[in-house]
Amino acid sequence: MEIWINPACSKCRTATKALDEAGIAYTVRRYLDDPPTPEELTAVLQRLNLEPWDLVRHNEPAAKPLRTLPRDEEHRAAWIQAMTESPILIQRPILTADDNTTAVARDPETLARFLPN
C-alpha cells in the first residue's frame, strides 16, 4: 500500500495512525517533497475515476489562477500540470492498495475500506 501525505495534515496523520494500529505495511510519499509526475497523477485520477478539478483543494491560494480555467477535456492537461507544479493543490491523503484500489481517505468510512475488518 502507498499513501500520499502532507505530514502537517491532520487527516493524513489520522490515516497513517490507523494503518499503523492495524499493522498494515505501507509506503509513505510526501507528495509536497516528491510531487507526482503528470503521468502518475493521471494514473491516480483514472483509478479514482475523477477529473483533476475534482481532486483540487480549491481553497488553497495556489488555486486562484485555476478559478478561470474551464473544467473540460481541452483544459484537463493544464489542470494536471498545475497540480504537479503546486502539489499543495492535491487532496489528501490518497491511499492506493496493492490491488490498485485508490481513494482519497479524508473520512473515516473511506479509510475503513483499507483496514482489516
Side-chain angles (χ1 to χ4, degrees), residues 15-73:
T16 56
K17 181 180 178 188
L19 294 173
D20 290 342
E21 288 174 352
I24 296 173
Y26 60 94
T27 302
V28 169
R29 181 166 185 176
R30 292 180 177 212
Y31 71 95
L32 297 178
D33 300 326
D34 181 17
T37 65
E39 296 78 18
E40 289 173 316
L41 188 54
T42 297
V44 164
L45 288 163
Q46 287 173 340
R47 291 193 306 269
L48 289 168
N49 197 29
L50 292 175
E51 293 296 339
W53 46 87
D54 297 325
L55 194 61
V56 166
R57 298 173 51 85
H58 292 277
N59 292 333
E60 289 290 336
K64 188 175 182 180
L66 298 175
R67 291 186 185 132
T68 59
L69 191 62
R71 297 178 184 193
D72 59 20
E73 186 61 32

